[in-house]
Structure formats: C-alpha cells, structure tokens
Amino acid sequence: MRRVGAALTALLVLTGCAREAADTVVERPKGAPSPAVSGTSDAVSGLLDALADVSGEGPAAAYVEYGEPAWWRGLGVSGGSGDGRRWLPAAGSGLGSLAHASALLPKATGMTPEAGTRAISIGVPPKQAFRFDGGVDASAVRAKLTALGAKPRHLGGHDGLSFAPGAEINLSRTIVPGVTNQLNQVVVTDAMVATASAPGPLAAVMGGRPSLADSPDHAAVAACLGDVAAATIMASPAAGAVTLYGVGLRRPATLNDRPVNVICVLPAASAAADVEQALTTRLTPAGSTRNGGTYGEHAPEIAHDRVPSGGRTVLRAALTLNDKTDVLFANRLLYQGELEALTAPSRPGAPAQAVAPSRSGTPAQAFAPGPS
C-alpha cells in the first residue's frame, strides 16, 4: 500500500477543521444483522456508483470523499437553522478542501455544488480533484471562469478551461478566498463540473478503467459502509496492519433521527485478528477517548460485526450518537489519527501504527512521506 505522506495530513486538517462541530457494547448472535446498521453489504449503494465513476489508477486510491447534497436538500437540511442545523456538516461531504469555500463558489464561478445530486473529491494535495454531478449551468460556469482569465484547453478528452498548465499556485489570483490551485483545470458539461490542480487528477475524477469500484479492497469497504449519504475511504497512512479505513453517515429518515456513524476497517490478512481485538476492545462505550472522556459520552450504543465481501472481511463498528455529538464524529476519529490508534495491534511483535501530535496540537499521522 502506498504511503501518502505529509500532503494527506494537510488535507485531513483542512477537512477536519471544516467539520468541527450504556457501558457495554451491543451484543448480538453471530450472523444476525446489527440493529444499529440500516444498510446491508449487498445494498445498492450510491457510494459504490461513485467509485465506479472515478479511476482506480490514480489519486482516488489514496483518498476519496463522497456526499449527496440532493439527499440533504430533500430532507430539509439548508439555511443553517431549525432541525436541519446539526446535519449541515454532512451536507458538505464530498467537497473536500473546497468545503470551506462552497458558499462563495456560485457567485464567483457559477459552480453550485449544493444544487447537485452528488459530490466527489479524490486525492491529496497537490494530486487532488473534485467533481459535482447535477445542478450545472454550464454556460454560467464557462462565462465566469473565462472572465477570470481561464483559457480554453483540451483536458482529459474534453474541451475545458485552464488557469495554469499544471499544479501551479498563483497567489495573486483570488477566485475565492482560501482556494489556491484546486480550480486550475476545469471541465464543465450539462451534467457535471470537474476541477483539479493538474490534468492527471482531472482525468481520474472523470472516470477510467479500471475504476475504483473494480478494486476489491475499495468495493469491500463500500459494501461495509452500506447505504450512506456521506462517506470517506482512505488508504492507511502507514503500511502494516490496516489496508483501508472507511467512515460514513447512514441516511436518516427524518431530521429527528439519532445519527448513526459507521466505521469500516479492512485489515491486512496477517493482522486481522489483532486489529479486530484492538478495535472491539477499545472502541466501546466505556473505552477512553484521546481527550480523556469515554466513547459512550458520544455514542451510547456501539455495535461490532464483520462484513465479508469479495473474499475480504471488513471489520465494522456502528455508533449510534447522542443528541449533541457532531454527526460526523467518526470522520473526526479518522482525520485526527484516533481511529488509527484504535486499530493498532498491541500484541508483542505485531505491526503497530504510530500516531504523533502535530505542532498545532492536532494529532497527525507519523509516517514517512512518499508519492501519492
């Protein structure tokens, strides 16, 4: 498994910052469905469809984030008030490092991610790309980008617009505050807007074969996550016990539902038993969080099970959150390195994954930098 280096930490800090917001594990008979998990491994998943629409040979293998703005609009999550307010962080899922600028994008660029059906971001800086499907006014996007100085260019087999030929960052060009090179390359059609820092990631987010859904590892994690309206799948920052991490938010039926976070961990075959022991004994309502509290203070119900798929067995934890916890609580565990610590084997001689604090105090993965 590739190592993604310091660029991944930077991306996770960005996305994590944009989303700040019983004493026993629920037991069940072996093989019985988990009452806390509303999806199944064979459910038709919008997430799996999204994986099928991006290339598996590129930056998505390191990091892919998915969201369904159409689902949250239909549920009434908008405007930042009322019962929908707590779900707002989930409505921005799939935007990656553009989440903090999403409110300014329509006026500046004509791109309206919140009006779309789904949002996908892949990769880590500088090899990152974004895709918004549906709700596209192609003429408006082209006109605004051209007015900002973008030039016509053939990109990924499509006619597109380009501010720079590669991943260059022009700090004198302010499209939206905080946006640097994410919009260097843009392809817009009547159904989709794709943007990227460079042509390679742009082509990857628009598709290719094999797709990410053709990866048995990613398909297994998507099956484990099930019917989610917000999800992230990330390669392990360090080679060893875990291959992939996935976190997701189950679709609530109403705004008053208790949020259910799903954590899926695909362990290396040689470390599966050790990773399962670590996860199931540490991630419990009585288990201690990094900040000194307990997981039960956030998720009074935590159910563990296994999900077999495509010859893999993914470890799953379903966390039913309380009324005050951030609906993307599992994302915070992933972004801040706590999930990595929860799955690190503790048996002597077992491969361990280190987690170290960053200078800012935000936990960051300790691993050697390498290509993404």
Side-chain angles (χ1 to χ4, degrees):
M1 180 57 61
R2 69 189 67 191
R3 296 183 178 186
V4 295
L8 179 57
T9 300
L11 175 64
L12 299 185
V13 168
L14 278 173
T15 53
C17 290
R19 293 170 178 145
E20 287 296 319
D23 292 335
T24 59
V25 178
V26 176
E27 297 289 349
R28 59 185 178 78
K30 186 175 182 180
S34 170
V37 179
S38 60
T40 62
S41 61
D42 60 352
V44 176
S45 169
L47 171 60
L48 190 61
D49 290 342
L51 300 186
D53 285 341
V54 300
S55 174
E57 295 185 341
Y63 179 91
V64 59
E65 183 183 322
Y66 167 77
E68 296 181 3
W71 171 265
W72 300 109
R73 284 199 312 274
L75 202 61
V77 178
S78 62
S81 60
D83 293 335
R85 181 177 179 84
R86 100 171 278 199
W87 302 94
L88 276 175
S93 184
L95 301 182
S97 62
L98 291 179
H100 68 286
S102 61
L104 302 176
L105 284 176
K107 182 177 180 179
T109 69
M111 302 176 192
T112 54
E114 293 182 354
T117 56
R118 72 178 182 186
I120 305 168
S121 62
I122 64 171
V124 298
K127 299 178 182 179
Q128 58 180 332
F130 311 85
R131 173 174 172 166
F132 316 127
D133 292 85
V136 179
D137 185 339
S139 297
V141 174
R142 294 190 187 103
K144 287 181 179 292
L145 294 181
T146 299
L148 289 168
K151 305 298 182 184
R153 190 178 179 197
H154 200 61
L155 301 164
H158 299 269
D159 292 329
L161 293 165
S162 175
F163 286 101
E168 292 86 351
I169 297 176
N170 183 351
L171 296 179
S172 66
R173 183 196 304 115
T174 302
I175 298 175
V176 173
V179 174
T180 54
N181 62 347
Q182 296 99 317
L183 304 182
N184 273 358
Q185 321 287 334
V186 179
V187 167
V188 55
T189 71
D190 289 336
M192 174 193 72
V193 175
T195 83
S197 55
L202 182 72
V205 84
M206 290 190 292
R209 292 291 178 269
S211 74
L212 200 59
D214 295 321
S215 159
D217 291 348
H218 283 79
V221 172
C224 170
L225 289 170
D227 193 19
V228 290
T232 297
I233 301 176
M234 187 184 90
S236 175
V242 172
T243 299
L244 287 176
Y245 293 102
V247 294
L249 174 63
R250 293 290 183 190
R251 301 171 189 272
T254 73
L255 295 178
N256 294 321
D257 282 7
R258 292 175 64 188
V260 175
N261 282 186
V262 184
I263 294 173
C264 294
V265 179
L266 178 62
S270 61
D274 294 325
V275 172
E276 183 173 25
Q277 181 183 31
L279 182 64
T280 57
T281 57
R282 295 171 187 166
L283 184 55
T284 69
S288 297
T289 67
R290 172 172 284 161
N291 294 327
T294 66
Y295 291 106
E297 293 171 5
H298 306 280
E301 299 174 27
I302 302 177
H304 289 277
D305 64 356
R306 303 172 185 166
V307 181
S309 178
R312 275 96 173 135
T313 298
V314 187
L315 308 176
R316 178 166 62 187
L319 287 68
T320 302
L321 307 181
N322 63 24
D323 293 335
K324 297 181 180 179
T325 296
D326 179 1
V327 297
L328 295 181
F329 176 68
N331 290 64
R332 288 166 49 192
L333 298 182
L334 176 67
Y335 295 155
Q336 297 176 1
E338 192 161 350
L339 182 54
E340 190 178 359
L342 284 167
T343 56
S346 57
R347 287 175 52 183
Q353 293 163 291
V355 179
S358 68
R359 290 184 180 180
S360 64
T362 301
Q365 277 73 8
F367 51 85
S372 60

